[in-house]
Amino acid sequence: MSQIVYVNGDYVAAADAKVSVFDRGFLMADAVYEVTSVIGGKIVDFDGHATRLQRSMRELDMVPPVTMDELLAIHRELITRNNLDEGGIYLQITRGAPTERDFAWPDPEEVPCGIVLFTFSKPLVDSKVMDEGIKVVSLPDERWGRRDIKTTQLLYPSYAKMQAKKQGAQDAWLVEDGFVTEGTANNAYIVKDGTIITRQLSNDILHGITRAAILRFAKEAQMKIEERPFTIAEAQEADEAFVTSATGFCQPVIEIDGAQIGSGVPGNISKRLREIYTAEMTAAAI
Ligand code: PLP
């Protein structure tokens, strides 16, 4: 069965889908995006992702091309048409395709935003990463200063991921002014003496939808939380470390810059949080 994608109002076979060469997402990474996970054919935390998408667009003066109800209907239609059981939905909204390349933003009345969605199938609940954990290396955070806006400027995170792979790790933790900001595509946490430590929200990091849910569940389970920056040295001395993201859920980190974390296997708090997150989000998926 050929994959069906959504492009500017139409459901088309992926092979037939087209966007303009003048699209500002293509030319300038002038685009925002969301990735939402799907479990059992149902969407996880649609409201969280829709709310962040609207904020990203507001921050960049983009006018949404569809309402959030229409967006939910498109997500559901794509799940049905692609027979998706477990995986995710990628959504991108760009500042459209003016007739010429210009740094100034086009008038949204004349050039509407473009919108593209596609699905992907991926095992999320049963993941071998959970049993093994991942290794990370630290790299300088060389992204722009508005990381709270989920834009498609992903060259540096993708470059950092490749540097990590070259060093035998699976991901990088980015460091600015001596403190960890976040992973290339996830939020970063450490656990020390039972307290979960993660950087506080600001323009420096993406406000993870999974982060919000994980911290809510941790609070409900009476776990202690400190929202503050931490260093790589502090992380290397921690009892546990983990990362969170929509399609990764909660993944344990077992090594940072070659130093083993805790006993070098996934920690109990990360495991417990993943269990709670998976159960609660599966039950609440729509
Ligand atoms: N931080 C960055 C830089 C990301 O790219 C992502 C996800 O893509 C996250 C954090 C995690 O966000 P979420 O939990 O909403 O997937």
Side-chain angles (χ1 to χ4, degrees):
M1 191 183 79
S2 75
Q3 189 189 0
I4 302 298
V5 304
Y6 178 89
V7 185
N8 296 326
D10 296 318
Y11 294 93
V12 290
D16 300 328
K18 289 187 176 61
V19 290
S20 164
V21 292
F22 293 108
D23 190 284
R24 290 179 61 96
F26 172 64
L27 292 179
M28 295 174 170
D30 187 355
V32 296
Y33 77 109
E34 284 295 329
V35 180
T36 308
S37 61
V38 171
I39 308 176
K42 290 184 175 174
I43 307 160
V44 173
D45 214 339
F46 178 81
D47 282 350
H49 289 280
T51 302
R52 182 172 63 188
L53 175 69
Q54 287 172 296
R55 177 179 182 275
S56 292
M57 296 189 75
R58 238 183 358 256
E59 292 295 308
L60 295 173
D61 294 335
M62 286 182 176
V63 179
V66 291
T67 66
M68 292 306 114
D69 284 345
E70 286 165 341
L71 200 58
L72 177 58
I74 297 167
H75 276 66
R76 288 190 162 140
E77 186 65 24
L78 278 179
I79 290 173
T80 306
R81 290 193 188 221
N82 290 295
N83 202 15
L84 180 65
D85 179 49
E86 197 165 310
I89 300 183
Y90 178 88
L91 147 74
Q92 178 167 323
I93 294 181
T94 84
R95 203 184 299 279
T99 49
E100 59 186 35
R101 181 178 176 274
D102 185 348
F103 275 43
W105 296 348
D107 180 347
E109 296 277 320
E110 285 164 29
V111 181
C113 279
I115 175 167
V116 168
L117 285 92
F118 57 81
T119 60
F120 57 92
S121 171
K122 181 182 174 191
L124 305 180
V125 176
D126 292 323
S127 159
K128 84 175 172 60
V129 163
M130 194 48 225
D131 303 325
E132 296 169 5
I134 60 167
K135 297 177 183 176
V136 302
V137 293
S138 61
L139 285 171
D141 196 337
E142 294 181 352
R143 299 172 299 166
W144 80 322
R146 290 300 308 273
R147 300 154 197 158
D148 57 309
I149 308 175
K150 196 166 167 67
T151 74
T152 59
Q153 298 179 66
L154 297 175
L155 183 54
Y156 187 72
S158 127
Y159 170 85
K161 179 110 180 165
M162 289 314 292
Q163 296 304 309
K165 279 178 177 263
K166 280 182 194 162
Q167 294 180 42
Q170 283 82 39
D171 203 3
W173 275 12
L174 305 175
V175 175
E176 186 172 62
D177 299 330
F179 293 97
V180 174
T181 51
E182 57 189 330
T184 60
N186 46 54
N187 291 115
Y189 308 72
I190 56 173
V191 181
K192 186 69 180 174
D193 299 328
T195 299
I196 299 165
I197 301 159
T198 192
R199 196 180 176 104
Q200 72 280 11
L201 295 181
S202 71
N203 291 355
D204 299 336
I205 61 168
L206 186 73
H207 301 189
I209 301 305
T210 320
R211 177 188 183 280
I214 286 280
L215 292 186
R216 189 173 74 244
F217 296 141
K219 236 172 249 162
E220 285 169 10
Q222 320 294 331
M223 295 178 188
K224 278 181 279 166
I225 298 163
E226 274 180 29
E227 292 185 66
R228 63 162 176 85
F230 57 85
T231 63
I232 289 291
E234 186 181 6
Q236 288 174 321
E237 293 300 315
D239 303 321
E240 291 185 38
F242 62 93
V243 292
T244 65
S245 67
T247 56
F249 297 2
C250 169
Q251 298 183 326
V253 171
I254 52 151
E255 194 183 291
I256 302 173
D257 283 345
Q260 176 182 299
I261 307 306
S263 49
V265 293
N268 288 336
I269 291 187
S270 335
K271 274 193 198 156
R272 182 78 195 111
L273 285 174
R274 187 183 173 99
E275 276 164 17
I276 300 174
Y277 180 84
T278 307
E280 296 276 348
M281 294 323 245
T282 304
I286 57 169

